[in-house]
Amino acid sequence: MSTNVPGPVPGGLAAPTQDASVVPSASGDALLDDPAEWPAFGRKVDAQASGECWESHVVIEGMHCAACALTIEDALRSVPGVEQADVSAASQRARVVWSATAAPPSLWFAAVRRAGYRALPAADAQARQQRVQEHRRALWRWLVAGFCMMQVMMYAWPAYIAQPGDLSGEMEALLRWASWVITLPVVLFACGPFFTSALADIRHRRISMDLPVALGMAITFVISSLGTFDPDGIFGREVYFDSLTMFVFFLLTGRWLELRLRDRTAGALEAVMNRLPDSVERRDGDGHFVRVAVRRLAVDDVVRVLPGEAFPSDGCLISGSTRVDEALLTGESSPRWRTVGASVSAGSMNLESAVQMKVERLGAGTRFGEIVALMESASLQKPRLAQLADRVARPFLVFVLLAALGAMLWWWPRDPQHALMVAVSVLIVTCPCALSLATPVAMLSAAGALARGGVLVRNLQALETLAGIDSVVFDKTGTLTHDRMALRHMETSSDWTQAEALGLAAVVARYSLHPASRALVAAAEQAEPHGNGVWEVVEVTETPGRGLSAQMRLRDGSQTIRTLLLGSAEHVGAPWFERDGLQVCMALDGGAVADRSWARFDLEEQLRSDLHTSLRALAQAGIGVQILSGDYAGSVTRVAQRAGIDAWRGGCTPADKLAAIRALQARGHRVAMVGDGLNDGPVLAAANASFAFGSAVPLTSLRSDFVVLGGQLPLIAQSVLLARRTLRIVRQNLLWAAGYNVVSVPLAIAGLMPAWLAGLGMAASSLLVVLNSARLARAMPSLVPAADGAEKPVPMTHTQVHA
């Protein structure tokens, strides 16, 4: 078993270290059956009929096309005890749900190997090393093919420009033999992946996209070799070493560039998932720090995180201060300052200095673990268009072989040598790589861009749905507004100044977690009141739904106890009371309000500062906006008027929201719902597309299609615009892939497309699809700030009322 150091594992589980890596091999698959190793490459899921089940994510080596993905899925599903298997050709990953009792990992790892491929745990260091080695091998094959192609072209050039009689038979034979010798490294080394995959196809009686290509290469080399060995034979008129080396070079160029571009586009998801460190310094019993595997950490361990390292778990800083990059978790690009007592999250980066933290949550229980679980699930989903391409792949490859055979039989009576080269052109030019990559690469590129921007895609298919929405329905609290309130207006009796009343209210409000109390404390801190030091609290009693009753006395040593009431108008005994607005009243001592010192604080919800920019972008995109809220109608009305939203409804139960969404859909609208994810589950599930602000709830329990991590409202409009751009690019890819085959296949069958041009066309088609999709991974669509109409801060006013 290998001893490499893997990174993070699926579902956010900690990774093994150098002495505990989980790397399957032909002779070591049985080691994977140790239950102690299972958390290193999987996580437990709900029990199924077959008993305890686990979910594992693995990287598949040797997979190049949709037909390969279908073959691997069939191999995995044939193993008894494998509950589910999903394989993505675009991300080259597989998700396997397996029974711990009926299908230990060694069985389905071996099934993948028998199918001609190799499976590695997705987060294993050897998987990353294999990917690097694969890039190097691809580069070397490309360099060898390019060098040999230039040499063969140099030897073939005299035959192209020579007039009859210019080249003697001996010279022509010498040039052919030189070309044959130089072509050998191309066939034996550069073409290795194509031949290896084709032989596996033949051995397992299946077909993939490498089989027609390998057949074309083999046929070209064989008839050219026969022409070299027997110049007077049936194939001696011409050799095609130049065409062979040229189209091999073109194919390898396309595959190598495609490999690089995949790492930059769909590979962005893997870069996020591999954010955790492999190991970390843990404090031992002697107070020394020793580097250990992340998987060996336990709750309450103390670890030291160095600058440039990622935090391995959720925890609390106990020593040191630093700036932390939390862009992965919140979407915020600006680092946050964290000092002793502050919480830090797994996956965030330590930017400045070494700090010590106490471990509080590990693995799948961390915020990072939830994010990884969602991203891995989304990366293996297949949109409808991709599923269609997968279903078409195998029948189309059969059609390719039959078309090549038919073309060869048609041309054979006239010229056997030309007939074989026509068949080669048909085999190569019709490879449906572009068709199978058209949808998934674009979708994964968009999902990667969204993840970097702070939006997690839980349902990849929802990107296609989101592109067609024409209405967005917002919940109010927590989406259009912050979860905190702001003080807008206050009135006091003549006995108190504004600073005194606000300061006294803040002294008592600090004993409550109610949003109104927090708003008073925040306003007092902002105004820097001077009354805080005058009174001290002796005893506080909070009555839910009414307010606070506090026993107060002066700090000057006076023993006089006075009663202060802070809360609703009924609680204080005030005559003013407006149900539509949130008011907090305060009075000192008993008796009628007119006979005592009193104050009234008017609070209102605080609109998000980026609300108007978001609404303006949605309007420019032709999308209508509505509000459905369970709050009081008056509160919803004020928020809608301040935001400039024409359609709203307050006092809605979850059933009312669900009925409203279905009514919109019945009228032909495609609706996106934006909620806070706490009580909007049925509505989020019923909408065509749904967003949840997931900053305060478990991500895995949400039922939305998209999760907005940082609470940035413009991300809603940006996601819609990116989804529309994604769908346009998918359509462009499909149009190109279909059009290319419609034009190229007749030309190849008619004998008008030489083999080298067929190889160039095949490589260019796949490369164009990937390049076109890579545009989605650059950045999120930008929005124009809403300079006009943006809500400006309303200054707090003070009205003095004389008793």
Side-chain angles (χ1 to χ4, degrees):
M1 176 174 285
S2 173
T3 58
N4 293 292
V5 184
V9 299
L13 295 170
T17 58
Q18 293 181 349
D19 56 353
S21 181
V22 180
V23 181
S25 63
S27 59
D29 281 350
L31 295 175
L32 296 173
D33 294 343
D34 182 0
E37 301 291 348
W38 293 351
F41 62 97
R43 63 188 181 95
K44 190 180 296 186
V45 296
D46 294 337
Q48 305 289 328
S50 56
E52 180 182 286
C53 281
W54 286 69
E55 176 186 276
S56 295
H57 290 258
V58 295
V59 174
I60 305 296
E61 291 185 0
M63 180 171 60
H64 304 294
C65 64
C68 296
L70 295 175
T71 298
I72 298 169
E73 285 183 355
D74 292 342
L76 288 170
R77 291 168 181 170
S78 66
V79 177
V82 172
E83 306 285 345
Q84 187 176 352
D86 301 297
V87 182
S88 170
S91 61
Q92 297 184 332
R93 299 167 70 92
R95 170 181 173 268
V96 185
V97 179
W98 46 280
S99 169
T101 56
S106 60
L107 290 182
W108 49 271
F109 268 91
V112 173
R113 188 172 60 254
R114 287 194 301 271
Y117 305 90
R118 188 185 183 199
L120 290 172
D124 198 287
Q126 183 169 341
R128 298 196 294 274
Q129 294 172 359
Q130 289 290 338
R131 186 170 61 251
V132 172
Q133 293 175 3
E134 182 183 359
H135 286 199
R136 291 176 178 171
R137 288 192 296 266
L139 181 61
W140 273 109
R141 291 189 182 99
W142 176 73
L143 291 173
V144 168
F147 176 78
C148 293
M149 177 193 69
M150 291 187 292
Q151 297 301 312
V152 171
M153 290 299 296
M154 181 179 65
Y155 292 127
W157 183 248
Y160 284 114
I161 64 174
Q163 299 297 323
D166 288 351
L167 288 177
S168 63
E170 293 80 4
M171 179 59 68
E172 186 173 358
L174 178 62
L175 293 176
R176 288 188 178 188
W177 277 104
S179 298
W180 182 81
V181 171
I182 296 175
T183 303
L184 284 177
V186 176
V187 175
L188 299 178
F189 175 67
C191 296
F194 301 102
F195 289 135
T196 301
S197 179
L199 289 174
D201 289 341
I202 295 173
R203 186 168 59 252
H204 294 92
R205 299 180 181 178
R206 64 172 187 250
I207 183 171
S208 71
M209 296 180 187
D210 282 342
L211 180 58
V213 174
L215 283 176
M217 294 174 179
I219 292 172
T220 304
F221 182 72
V222 168
I223 63 175
S224 299
S225 298
L226 292 176
T228 302
F229 298 154
D230 185 11
D232 298 326
I234 187 175
F235 301 117
R237 187 184 73 254
E238 188 176 358
V239 294
Y240 302 94
F241 296 118
D242 54 339
S243 294
L244 174 60
T245 54
M246 192 179 298
F247 74 68
V248 169
F249 175 73
F250 290 150
L251 293 180
L252 292 177
T253 300
R255 184 162 288 188
W256 183 71
L257 291 175
E258 179 185 321
L259 199 63
R260 295 292 302 273
L261 288 169
R262 279 188 183 184
D263 282 348
R264 294 184 182 180
T265 53
L269 295 174
E270 185 175 349
V272 173
M273 290 186 281
N274 289 339
R275 186 73 175 264
L276 289 187
D278 301 328
S279 59
V280 69
E281 294 182 354
R282 182 180 64 183
R283 190 171 67 188
D284 58 18
D286 297 331
H288 301 97
F289 285 93
V290 180
R291 185 161 291 274
V292 299
V294 170
R295 97 185 263 200
R296 293 186 175 180
L297 294 180
V299 175
D300 294 334
D301 280 349
V302 175
V303 299
R304 180 168 60 190
V305 182
L306 303 178
E309 290 184 343
F311 288 93
S313 64
D314 291 351
C316 177
L317 293 187
I318 61 174
S319 175
S321 300
T322 186
R323 293 190 183 277
V324 177
D325 179 6
E326 298 178 343
L328 172 67
L329 305 173
T330 66
E332 293 285 349
S333 58
S334 301
R336 302 290 184 89
W337 182 256
R338 294 289 185 263
T339 186
V340 174
S343 297
V344 290
S345 301
S348 55
M349 298 295 295
N350 180 11
L351 299 181
E352 288 192 0
S353 58
V355 294
Q356 296 179 24
M357 64 169 285
K358 184 177 181 180
V359 175
E360 295 178 347
R361 286 180 298 276
L362 286 164
T366 64
R367 191 73 169 173
F368 179 82
E370 295 176 345
I371 291 174
V372 168
L374 295 185
M375 295 180 68
E376 286 187 318
S377 175
S379 67
L380 287 166
Q381 293 174 1
K382 294 183 180 180
R384 286 191 296 266
L385 293 175
Q387 293 175 9
L388 177 61
D390 287 354
R391 288 195 298 268
V392 169
R394 281 179 174 171
F396 185 80
L397 288 172
V398 174
F399 164 77
V400 168
L401 295 177
L402 294 177
L405 179 61
M408 183 190 70
L409 295 177
W410 173 264
W411 286 98
W412 188 271
R414 308 178 190 181
D415 187 344
Q417 188 174 17
H418 180 68
L420 288 173
M421 292 310 297
V422 167
V424 168
S425 298
V426 173
L427 289 171
I428 295 173
V429 79
T430 53
C431 183
C433 292
L435 186 63
S436 66
L437 293 173
T439 300
V441 173
M443 293 287 189
L444 290 176
S445 299
L450 287 171
R452 289 191 299 272
V455 180
L456 292 185
V457 181
R458 298 186 72 251
N459 180 10
L460 204 61
Q461 180 60 49
L463 278 171
E464 181 180 346
T465 307
L466 183 63
I469 68 164
D470 56 20
S471 300
V472 174
V473 176
F474 287 95
D475 181 31
K476 178 179 69 68
T477 306
T479 52
L480 298 179
T481 63
H482 292 286
D483 57 357
R484 57 184 181 271
M485 311 197 77
L487 177 62
R488 291 295 185 182
H489 176 78
M490 65 178 294
E491 296 180 9
T492 69
S493 66
S494 58
D495 299 338
W496 280 331
T497 66
Q498 173 182 334
E500 290 172 342
L502 189 57
L504 182 57
V507 169
V508 179
R510 285 189 172 91
Y511 291 87
S512 173
L513 296 177
H514 192 279
S517 298
R518 287 183 292 174
L520 292 176
V521 173
E525 292 176 348
Q526 183 178 3
E528 298 181 358
H530 302 289
N532 291 358
V534 178
W535 294 88
E536 65 179 359
V537 177
V538 178
E539 182 180 355
V540 176
T541 302
E542 182 171 9
T543 304
R546 294 180 60 84
L548 299 166
S549 299
Q551 302 300 311
M552 314 283 292
R553 69 183 174 191
L554 294 173
R555 292 183 182 272
D556 59 4
S558 172
Q559 299 300 315
T560 303
I561 303 296
R562 306 185 68 178
T563 301
L564 184 138
L565 303 176
L566 180 69
S568 65
E570 296 100 324
H571 179 61
V572 175
W576 52 80
F577 179 70
E578 300 178 13
R579 182 162 303 273
D580 285 343
L582 178 58
Q583 297 175 342
V584 177
C585 303
M586 181 177 70
L588 191 63
D589 294 332
V593 171
D595 300 330
R596 52 184 169 153
S597 300
W598 56 267
R600 186 187 73 178
F601 307 95
D602 293 334
L603 306 176
E604 66 179 3
E605 292 173 293
Q606 199 170 14
L607 296 184
R608 292 182 180 269
S609 59
D610 50 17
L611 172 60
H612 290 86
T613 298
S614 305
L615 297 180
R616 179 179 179 182
L618 291 172
Q620 291 175 344
I623 298 174
V625 175
Q626 299 186 26
I627 300 178
L628 291 177
S629 175
D631 206 349
Y632 291 121
S635 177
V636 177
T637 300
R638 283 193 297 273
V639 169
Q641 291 173 345
R642 290 161 56 196
I645 298 175
D646 297 329
W648 70 89
R649 180 181 171 187
C652 297
T653 64
D656 294 333
K657 294 181 181 181
L658 184 60
I661 292 292
R662 288 176 174 170
L664 284 172
Q665 293 171 332
R667 294 197 296 269
H669 292 285
R670 299 178 66 84
V671 184
M673 178 69 194
V674 183
D676 59 9
L678 293 174
N679 57 0
D680 292 326
V683 186
L684 293 172
N688 298 98
S690 54
F691 291 84
F693 282 69
S695 57
V697 293
L699 302 182
T700 52
S701 66
L702 297 178
R703 301 183 64 182
S704 61
D705 299 316
F706 304 90
V707 179
V708 183
L709 293 176
Q712 301 176 51
L713 207 55
L715 290 173
I716 305 297
Q718 289 177 299
S719 299
V720 174
L721 296 178
L722 184 63
R724 292 182 176 181
R725 184 187 300 174
T726 301
L727 200 59
R728 286 197 300 269
I729 286 181
V730 167
R731 289 169 178 166
Q732 292 170 4
N733 290 346
L734 292 174
L735 182 63
W736 163 255
Y740 158 77
N741 281 283
V742 168
V743 173
S744 300
V745 172
L747 291 177
I749 292 176
L752 301 177
M753 180 175 289
W756 66 268
L757 184 58
L760 177 60
M762 173 193 166
S765 64
S766 299
L767 188 59
L768 182 62
V769 164
V770 177
L771 281 171
N772 194 33
S773 301
R775 296 188 294 148
L776 294 167
R778 295 175 184 172
M780 295 280 283
S782 58
L783 302 181
V784 179
D788 298 329
E791 182 180 56
K792 298 178 175 58
V794 179
M796 184 185 65
T797 60
H798 171 68
T799 303
Q800 194 83 333
V801 179
H802 297 277

